[in-house]
Amino acid sequence: MSDMTHEPSFQDQGYISLTQLLERHAQTVPDEVAMRQKDMGIWQETTWRQYRDQTHAIAAGLVDLGIAHGEHVGIISENRQEWIVTQLGINSAAAVTCGIYPTSPANEVVHLLSSADCKVVFCEDQEQVDKVLEIRDKLPLLEHIVVFDAKGLYGYDANLWMTLDALIERGKTQLKHSPQAVTDRLAEQDPDDTALIVFTSGSTGLPKAAMISFRNIWSQMALLWDAVPSQTHQNILSYLPLCHVAEQAFSTMNAMARRMVVNFGESLRTIRTDLQEISPQMFFGVPRIWEKMQSELTVLGDRTGPLRRWLLHKALKSAQQRGAKPRAQWTGKQKLSYAFYRPFLYAPLLGYLGLARCNIAMTAAAPISPDLLAMFRGMGLPLIEIYGMTETTGAATLQPMDLNCQGRIGRAITGVESRVGEDGELLLRGPIIFKGYYKNDKATAETLQDGWLHTGDVVEEHEDGTLTIVDRKKDIIINAAGKNLSPSVIENTMKASPFIKECIVIGDQRKFLVALIQVDYDTVTTWAERQGLAYTTFKSLSENPKVRELVQNEVDKGNAQLAPVEQIKRFTLLTKELDHDDGEVTATMKVRRSTIAKQYEQQIEALFKESTAA
């Protein structure tokens, strides 16, 4: 492996598009492994030359289908090698890739495909094809459906769809007759052309189609190169949705810049096994992934004997206390405790999580509990918090490892300007800022003003120039006394408990705060079994009085860390898990507060009435 610090900086090498970078790798290291995909338990490898050849065949096939420069092509699929190959194939045809969450129901898919004017859509399998066929009459621009996995489709009308393999063969034939078909399209490509349309999460309304240019992507690659030290040809696991900008920045942009090996497991259900087999040197997870890992460690301890359980909990508590400070500030006693726990507890635990070789880990996409961040740092995992959004093409700020981990998002990365507006809103400017929203001039004008991106996030700026996210402007609670409260701070304090998966705080224009809480099924079932409690479903578990007592104790612990005005006075346990299909959360599992407020109005009002009566 070659150390990146010995090579010219990405910025100094000058602009290069994703497709040009792929061509460079195919020319300079053609037989080096670019991707691996697990199939029937076996990891299949793809080299940079094979990667490039496949994208060119897809591009030529799209040209043959009549896709013109700048037209839009959708992808509805879970993460797999075909996703990225198709994305680069679309771009090689000088067209625009529009990613759509595979969990999106048909009524959401019709909005996304129609608002993006997609002429072709690539579907992963029969499930996604069925969604598109269900809404086909509402998509007058849609001309072709291409399928990655055709299993179960052979009874369908063959005029309605084609396989990816058939498109590739069509492309190869096109290239025989017109060898310049793809290179001519690539020559037409302009740095300011739209490369990607990434839909916003839609937590406060319908998702908007954000346009990201090739120049935005190059800028993100260049800034990450300088901000996140790493080496070439390291392993990473791609498992978060590729239609999300964070995974694009990690598995497509950063991986292409650093010639990383992108690994695709068989499904989301095999992440634990995949991580253990790959043992990546770099890992990215949203807060929910890190919360899940924390819960796994708790379950691991709960399923062992009393002595081991006591020792594990003591070691994790020690890690949390130690990791709240940069390593350079650890006391002699803290260094000794780390040296004591590291070989026989921390190292095996990180190995169990699949992070034994991880030399840099990242979290982004939502606020994370400072205690959780501290615990992993104290175990020796260099976990940093990154802030970014769809409109910044990924990372915009980064938390340096030499600063205290106090829930801060660090400083704007080199090349990005930041300032705080009069109302506390974070404003950003730089080459990573998106072009605007497709066919939505009003929303674009509200978000981009005088070159500054209005993020919608309220921040606090510290003396050292670092920033702390207070909350989304739209989510700030103003209680009956006129006090501004941040629900995410309160919610993350509660979600630091391994027994609490979701917490939604309510209290706008009220005298106190209440909450809807969803238990973590895995950790609470393990606890319940140890207590000898009988349950049959999520509902029966949540309605058990002993489980309510457990959660009450966790809420009391959380409240002890909060100011009186921030404390949750009463809560109710949800009897079902929040669901994307029910519109309660987005595809990225962000809570849709307005929907929750309507759907659980009776339970919420009952909490305030009971509190008042008490």
Side-chain angles (χ1 to χ4, degrees):
M1 293 188 294
S2 58
D3 194 321
M4 300 299 279
T5 56
H6 295 160
E7 300 181 26
S9 97
F10 204 83
Q11 188 89 28
D12 292 342
Q13 293 177 49
Y15 169 81
I16 185 170
S17 72
L18 272 176
T19 49
Q20 290 168 334
L21 199 50
L22 174 58
E23 182 63 34
R24 176 193 289 178
H25 297 339
Q27 294 287 342
T28 57
V29 285
D31 298 321
E32 186 178 272
V33 176
M35 292 183 285
R36 293 193 194 95
Q37 181 150 289
K38 200 173 186 182
D39 183 31
M40 303 295 287
I42 300 172
W43 290 98
Q44 307 289 345
E45 296 182 340
T46 298
T47 65
W48 286 109
R49 181 194 286 120
Q50 292 170 328
Y51 186 176
R52 187 273 319 275
D53 291 347
Q54 288 174 24
T55 65
H56 279 208
I58 290 170
L62 289 171
V63 171
D64 192 49
L65 289 180
I67 292 299
H69 182 161
E71 289 191 318
H72 297 176
V73 179
I75 303 177
I76 314 175
S77 172
E78 288 190 0
N79 288 30
R80 53 192 295 160
Q81 182 173 303
E82 292 89 339
W83 212 115
I84 292 184
V85 172
T86 297
Q87 174 184 339
L88 271 290
I90 293 167
N91 286 162
S92 295
V96 181
T97 302
C98 309
I100 294 170
Y101 289 97
T103 55
S104 295
N107 64 336
E108 195 171 291
V109 171
V110 70
H111 164 72
L112 301 177
L113 287 176
S114 58
S115 64
D117 292 338
C118 291
K119 290 188 69 175
V120 176
V121 62
F122 287 79
C123 295
E124 180 177 20
D125 53 19
Q126 182 183 11
E127 178 187 355
Q128 304 304 337
V129 171
D130 285 343
K131 282 184 198 174
V132 176
L133 291 178
E134 179 185 336
I135 56 176
R136 185 71 180 79
D137 59 340
K138 298 177 183 177
L139 300 168
L141 292 180
L142 186 63
E143 296 175 357
H144 302 281
I145 299 172
V146 185
V147 189
F148 296 154
D149 181 357
K151 190 183 300 179
L153 286 173
Y154 292 104
Y156 287 49
D157 186 345
N159 295 317
L160 298 176
W161 61 280
M162 72 176 72
T163 64
L164 178 64
D165 288 341
L167 179 69
I168 288 174
E169 288 305 313
R170 189 167 180 158
K172 289 178 179 177
T173 302
Q174 168 78 354
L175 287 171
K176 285 179 183 176
H177 297 139
S178 306
Q180 296 298 114
V182 176
T183 51
D184 287 348
R185 283 293 179 91
L186 288 170
E188 295 174 14
Q189 200 182 82
D190 185 85
D192 294 317
D193 281 350
T194 302
L196 277 174
I197 279 185
V198 179
F199 289 97
T200 59
S201 63
S203 58
T204 57
L206 288 172
K208 297 186 288 290
M211 298 182 290
I212 294 174
S213 71
F214 287 101
R215 194 188 302 277
N216 290 150
I217 290 172
W218 172 75
S219 300
Q220 178 70 202
M221 289 191 291
L223 297 183
L224 281 175
W225 180 290
D226 292 335
V228 183
S230 186
Q231 294 177 317
T232 57
H233 207 56
Q234 292 188 333
N235 279 291
I236 62 172
L237 176 67
S238 178
Y239 67 101
L240 294 169
L242 276 161
C243 45
H244 191 285
V245 76
E247 186 66 14
Q248 278 289 325
F250 185 67
S251 289
T252 306
M253 303 174 201
N254 194 36
M256 186 70 77
R258 298 186 191 277
R259 288 198 345 263
M260 290 183 168
V261 183
V262 185
N263 294 271
F264 297 93
E266 287 184 283
S267 76
L268 284 170
R269 294 180 295 277
T270 63
I271 288 176
R272 167 64 53 251
T273 306
D274 297 336
L275 273 174
Q276 289 172 342
E277 290 181 5
I278 297 163
S279 192
Q281 291 95 341
M282 184 180 283
F283 181 73
F284 168 70
V286 295
R288 184 58 202 143
I289 295 296
W290 297 108
E291 290 163 5
K292 185 72 175 172
M293 287 185 174
Q294 180 192 39
S295 296
E296 285 188 45
L297 296 183
T298 301
V299 169
L300 202 64
D302 289 344
R303 288 179 175 170
T304 188
L307 180 60
R308 288 184 179 180
R309 186 185 316 132
W310 173 82
L311 187 59
L312 177 62
H313 290 170
K314 185 176 175 62
L316 294 181
K317 186 175 180 180
S318 170
Q320 188 179 93
Q321 293 170 343
R322 185 188 316 113
K325 297 189 297 185
R327 185 174 291 214
Q329 295 178 19
W330 288 0
T331 64
K333 184 178 179 181
Q334 287 174 327
K335 290 175 182 176
L336 280 173
S337 70
Y338 175 74
F340 173 73
Y341 287 124
R342 173 71 185 177
F344 74 94
L345 260 181
Y346 296 152
L349 288 175
L350 290 175
Y352 169 76
L353 295 175
L355 302 175
R357 293 196 302 159
C358 187
N359 51 45
I360 185 160
M362 293 165 280
T363 178
I368 188 170
S369 162
D371 288 343
L372 181 58
L373 200 63
M375 186 194 79
F376 280 107
R377 283 188 170 188
M379 289 173 65
L381 184 71
L383 177 59
I384 58 174
E385 188 167 9
I386 291 174
Y387 169 83
M389 53 198 305
T390 302
E391 293 84 350
T392 62
T393 321
T397 79
L398 184 142
Q399 182 187 59
M401 283 296 294
D402 60 352
L403 294 179
N404 287 343
C405 112
Q406 298 172 339
R408 302 183 186 182
I409 56 167
R411 307 183 184 98
I413 53 183
T414 304
V416 177
E417 297 176 73
S418 69
R419 66 182 174 91
V420 181
E422 292 181 4
D423 58 356
E425 182 179 12
L426 175 63
L427 309 181
L428 296 169
R429 183 167 66 181
I432 59 173
I433 305 302
F434 79 137
K435 293 171 61 175
Y437 301 112
Y438 181 65
K439 292 172 66 174
N440 195 338
D441 293 340
K442 182 175 181 292
T444 299
E446 290 171 353
T447 305
L448 293 175
Q449 298 175 25
D450 300 322
W452 289 92
L453 172 71
H454 288 242
T455 64
D457 286 309
V458 175
V459 297
E460 177 187 353
E461 189 169 18
H462 302 277
E463 289 183 4
D464 60 3
T466 59
L467 302 163
T468 295
I469 296 287
V470 176
D471 218 318
R472 294 292 292 169
K473 278 175 68 173
K474 294 179 180 178
D475 291 342
I476 295 288
I477 290 174
I478 304 176
N479 69 10
K483 175 75 173 176
N484 284 17
L485 304 173
S486 166
S488 69
V489 168
I490 301 163
E491 290 161 358
N492 279 327
T493 301
M494 299 301 163
K495 289 196 294 182
S497 162
F499 301 112
I500 296 175
K501 182 174 182 179
E502 286 294 348
C503 176
I504 302 104
V505 172
I506 300 106
D508 204 46
Q509 302 302 314
R510 307 278 193 164
K511 292 181 180 179
F512 43 79
L513 301 180
V514 300
L516 303 176
I517 291 176
Q518 175 187 318
V519 299
D520 186 293
Y521 189 70
D522 292 337
T523 53
V524 175
T525 52
T526 301
W527 175 87
E529 287 161 9
R530 220 174 60 238
Q531 301 296 314
L533 300 182
Y535 66 92
T536 53
T537 62
F538 186 95
K539 185 174 187 291
S540 69
L541 181 71
S542 301
E543 290 177 340
N544 191 298
K546 292 290 185 182
V547 171
R548 182 176 175 83
E549 286 180 24
L550 170 71
V551 176
Q552 182 67 67
N553 289 334
E554 297 301 300
V555 169
D556 291 344
K557 290 177 189 175
N559 279 340
Q561 302 175 49
L562 299 168
V565 72
E566 297 175 311
Q567 293 174 359
I568 294 171
K569 302 303 180 187
R570 280 191 72 84
F571 66 88
T572 189
L573 292 182
L574 298 176
T575 55
K576 63 178 281 295
E577 298 195 80
L578 298 179
D579 195 350
H580 184 203
D581 285 346
D582 293 337
E584 296 163 336
V585 292
T586 68
T588 54
M589 300 307 291
K590 290 180 182 175
V591 171
R592 287 188 166 122
R593 293 182 183 274
S594 59
T595 303
I596 296 289
K598 290 176 184 175
Q599 292 186 355
Y600 295 91
E601 184 178 5
Q602 290 184 345
Q603 292 95 320
I604 292 167
E605 289 305 319
L607 286 173
F608 284 111
K609 286 177 183 176
E610 288 176 37
S611 294
T612 304

